[in-house]
């Protein structure tokens, strides 16, 4: 057995596993050999090795005036298998330092996650694509909603400062 024109490997039996293959197209040549030598010409077949999907490409987050953040993304490479859905981990740290983590999935048809926030919240979202082969690496983005100015008029106007 030879893979991608490489050196021949002896296989005893009817199957073998090539664990060092990377994702993509490969060709395999097989020659049956018995105790008298080669039997017949080589047979060649090709196939594609499947891998986990690549990381989605997060787009710049959109923060609405009411503090709602919309995270959206474009798919990365599929690794040769259909993307089933996107898994997310959302970690919110509020202005007092309390941390809340939420996990879930988002359908492929809706590549976006909408997150309500409060002033002072910091939200980190990690998105990963999932296929039948497995879960790929994630893409992360962090957004902080600023606290409002406690006294927007301080330091300006008549009588301000020294």
């Amino acid at each position: 057995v030879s893979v991608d024109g490489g050196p021949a490997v002896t296989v005893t039996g009817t199957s073998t596993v090539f664990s060092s293959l990377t994702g993509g197209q490969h060709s395999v040549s097989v020659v049956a050999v018995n105790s008298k030598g080669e039997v017949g010409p080589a047979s060649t077949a090709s196939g594609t090795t499947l891998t986990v999907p690549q990381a989605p490409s997060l787009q710049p987050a959109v923060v609405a005036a009411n503090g709602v953040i919309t995270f959206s993304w474009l798919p990365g490479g599929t690794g040769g298998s259909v993307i089933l859905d996107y898994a997310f981990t959302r970690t919110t740290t509020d202005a007092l330092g309390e941390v809340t983590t939420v996990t879930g999935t988002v359908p492929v048809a809706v590549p976006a996650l909408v997150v309500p926030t409060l002033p002072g919240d910091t939200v980190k979202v990690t998105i990963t694509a999932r296929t039948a082969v497995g879960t790929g690496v994630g893409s992360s983005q962090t957004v902080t909603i600023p606290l409002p100015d406690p006294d927007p008029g301080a330091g300006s106007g008549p009588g301000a400062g020294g």
Side-chain angles (χ1 to χ4, degrees):
V1 176
S2 172
V3 177
D4 295 332
V9 176
T10 300
V11 175
T12 303
T14 59
S15 67
T16 191
V17 174
F18 297 99
S19 59
S20 62
L21 295 179
T22 59
Q25 188 76 19
H26 298 280
S27 66
V28 178
S29 296
V30 178
V31 176
V33 179
N34 63 20
S35 61
K36 297 177 184 173
E38 292 186 8
V39 177
S43 260
T44 301
S46 64
T48 301
T49 317
L50 303 178
T51 62
V52 296
Q54 295 175 351
S57 176
L58 277 161
Q59 303 302 292
V62 176
V63 182
N66 64 358
V68 172
I69 305 170
T70 301
F71 295 93
S72 62
W73 55 90
L74 299 172
T78 65
S81 188
V82 174
I83 295 175
L84 302 173
D85 60 15
Y86 293 96
F88 71 86
T89 301
R90 181 187 82 210
T91 303
T92 303
T93 306
D94 68 17
L96 300 175
E98 179 142 347
V99 177
T100 305
T101 299
V102 176
T103 60
T105 59
V106 177
V108 172
V110 187
L113 184 64
V114 178
V115 180
T117 65
L118 296 171
D121 283 356
T122 296
V123 179
K124 179 180 180 183
V125 168
T126 301
I127 305 293
T128 56
R130 300 188 322 162
T131 67
V133 176
T135 300
V137 296
S139 288
S140 297
Q141 191 173 63
T142 302
V143 175
T144 299
I145 304 300
L147 287 168
D149 188 349
D151 187 0
S156 63

